[in-house]
Amino acid sequence: MAKSTSGFSEAGLRRMRDVLEGHVTSGKIPGLVALVSRHGETHVEALGTMRHDGGAPMRRDTIFRMASTSKPVGIAAGMILLDECRLRLNDPVEPWLPELAGRQVLKRVDGPLDDTVPAQRQITVRDVLTCTFGLGMDMLSLHHPIQAALQELELTGQRTPLPDPDEWMRRLGTLPLMSQPGERWGYHIGSDLLGVLVARVTGQSYETFLRERVLDPLGMRDTGFHVPDDKIDRLPPGYVPDPETGDFIVWDQAAGGRYSRPPAFASGGGGLVSTADDYHAFFRMLLNGGTHDGERILSRPAVRLMTTNRLTPAQQALREAQAANSEGSFGLGLHGGWGLGMAVHTYRGDYAPVGQFGWDGGAGTSTYADPDGQLTGILLTHVGMSTADSPRLIHDFWTMLYQALDD
């Protein structure tokens, strides 16, 4: 069988296309864009349509809601501030985030919000970057008072758009921590908190700093926190299938929808829109040790810090339990470790090797890079993970990517 200079076999790439096409023709996934890249060679599949009932075909430059796959890109702004010593890992964050001063901590994570003890120490920059500052989402424990409070105060962005950063911080400051700073890993909230920290340190909006220092230098022209009018036709509807019937429910339209205008809060945890080629540029920069087309975006040590497991064994066990038992993840997220803004494979539990880094998004996206294989994979859909259809597609995409290797 012929093979390309990248080490992908032509037969393997054809098999990948056939499997992806099968998901589309099943009627469960209206359309997708998949990109695989290795050793300077890129292969893209744009399959299906923008809407579940037909219409315009998917294109290579279709814009998708990145959801939690925003996290790897969003963390880069904080890493630049570390590179420039405008932040230090062990600095307390209180000078910039006074709302987090004098923290109280729940005696029990499932206990009442007024049953607390004082925090043993201040929250540090390291705690925010590693998502161990003391608050996080736990989809297995929505009945706990602290999880209910996060939703009621609209601090997660799941049900309604986030309030402006100052109001978001004010509300966050009314809650106790779930755990002592640095003790437990908690999902998502730290990624949004980092955006507020970056803005207050730099005196710029988080979006402006991210654009000037990361997105523009990488040529990520279609990446941002909303889709302008002249590009809105490239954004498909966002679907959440009914778990009972499988019927497509539109949770966000394109024109007039949530991403058609600038948000009050630019969420580094889940607010970006982007394309396959834009995300390819970002992950290629990480594989290149922080450089892009000869320009340094991040230092090599910053990239290594991002893409190396930062969790203790106890923290890893907690994260694994959340991923394995969360109905909404369907087993995605089983990697072992977490770096900064992304997961890191610490054991070989499927086709992906140890060291692969990246993350998945609840809107139906998956973005990873493999430093040993020097490859990148980007899979973008507009079907949320309310059923197993998107996770199965994501699983099959990564299986087919690795089976296509031929060196």
Side-chain angles (χ1 to χ4, degrees), residues 17-40:
R17 178 186 173 87
D18 289 344
V19 169
L20 297 180
E21 202 161 43
H23 281 274
V24 173
T25 57
S26 74
K28 302 296 181 64
I29 304 292
L32 61 87
V33 176
L35 180 152
V36 298
S37 174
R38 193 175 189 218
H39 301 320

Side-chain angles (χ1 to χ4, degrees), residues 230-294:
D230 61 349
K231 298 181 181 180
I232 200 70
D233 64 318
R234 291 162 53 195
L235 178 72
Y239 293 117
V240 179
D242 186 310
E244 300 293 329
T245 66
D247 292 342
F248 288 105
I249 300 170
V250 177
W251 74 271
D252 185 52
Q253 290 283 7
R258 186 167 175 172
Y259 289 87
S260 66
R261 55 192 177 275
F265 188 109
S267 168
L272 287 175
V273 294
S274 192
T275 64
D277 282 298
D278 276 11
Y279 258 61
H280 180 213
F282 179 79
F283 277 91
R284 192 169 70 246
M285 177 270 292
L286 295 182
L287 287 179
N288 288 337
T291 64
H292 174 75
D293 291 342

Side-chain angles (χ1 to χ4, degrees), residues 154-165:
E154 300 177 345
L155 293 171
T156 67
Q158 284 190 304
R159 299 174 181 172
T160 58
L162 299 173
D164 69 78

